[in-house]
Amino acid sequence: MLGKMVSMISEDDHQLMLAWANLVQVHAVMRAELSRRLEEQADVSLSEHEVLFRLSRAPRGRLRMIDLAELTLQPKSAITRLIERLVQRGAVTRQQPADNRRTTYAVLTREGRALFDHARPVYVQGVRELLGDHVTPADVRLLRQRLRAVLNGLGVWADERCDPQPLTDAAP
């Protein structure tokens, strides 16, 4: 029965399944290698780097914890633990407005900016070597267009998450 089901898959569907498998593989390999490089060369995890990146682009270097969770596509509990590690390192502080004690902001410190500035070249070089060395700039533009189409089709494209722009007043 399984053999008949497999044979009923069209060549287009077969290629689609293979493309998905390859995308998952690229993600897993790149994530593991970027994590290794960041931890060895910059003493920061890949998740910490992403949080520092998001905070470095935020106005006044601060974001509500709920917004940080949404931007990084992580559960609130995971962001809470991650921010706690960064607070212990002095890279981030927490702020609660006096008029709304239910809201908590994560705020990038000078130490956090320095940590991000130290880690960023390791990250950029890693992405360049692991991805950029194997595709052309035109391929990258096409890949981004196609991935945007998928994210739009799923209703989850958000410019602030998927296409963040640097802000001039972001640095603490």
Side-chain angles (χ1 to χ4, degrees):
M1 177 73 171
L2 184 57
K4 283 187 176 187
M5 288 178 64
V6 171
S7 66
M8 294 187 321
I9 296 174
S10 71
E11 179 59 24
D12 287 348
D13 282 346
H14 178 68
Q15 291 300 314
L16 186 61
M17 297 306 110
L18 294 175
W20 167 245
N22 294 156
L23 182 61
V24 170
Q25 292 165 3
V26 167
H27 176 264
V29 168
M30 285 189 64
R31 185 167 184 81
E33 181 59 18
L34 285 171
S35 293
R36 185 191 66 75
R37 290 180 187 199
L38 283 167
E39 288 172 12
E40 286 180 5
Q41 298 174 35
D43 193 31
V44 65
S45 74
L46 184 57
S47 295
E48 289 168 339
H49 179 271
E50 183 172 5
V51 166
L52 295 172
F53 168 76
R54 298 299 177 170
L55 290 172
S56 76
R57 298 300 188 263
R60 297 188 323 255
R62 77 180 209 158
L63 286 167
R64 293 183 317 162
M65 295 285 284
I66 188 91
D67 295 332
L68 194 51
E70 185 176 311
L71 286 171
T72 60
L73 298 176
Q74 294 191 46
K76 289 185 286 185
S77 60
I79 285 297
T80 299
R81 289 188 303 272
L82 186 55
I83 292 300
E84 180 56 34
R85 288 196 313 264
L86 290 169
V87 165
Q88 289 175 0
R89 293 183 71 172
V92 172
T93 60
R94 285 191 192 94
Q95 286 181 352
Q96 285 186 312
D99 61 340
N100 185 355
R101 303 302 281 170
R102 292 181 298 172
T103 299
T104 302
Y105 287 89
V107 184
L108 188 64
T109 65
R110 290 185 202 287
E111 293 82 4
R113 169 59 73 177
L115 181 61
F116 175 71
D117 290 345
H118 176 68
R120 189 72 176 156
V122 174
Y123 180 83
V124 170
Q125 181 178 350
V127 172
R128 185 182 310 115
E129 290 173 1
L130 297 167
L131 181 62
D133 286 355
H134 308 288
V135 295
T136 67
D139 291 335
V140 171
R141 286 188 294 279
L142 182 61
L143 179 60
R144 290 215 58 225
Q145 289 172 354
R146 299 303 185 254
L147 293 173
R148 182 178 183 147
V150 171
L151 292 168
N152 269 327
L154 296 171
V156 295
W157 178 272
D159 285 339
E160 60 275 5
R161 182 182 66 249
C162 302
D163 196 14
Q165 300 298 313
L167 298 174
T168 56
D169 68 332

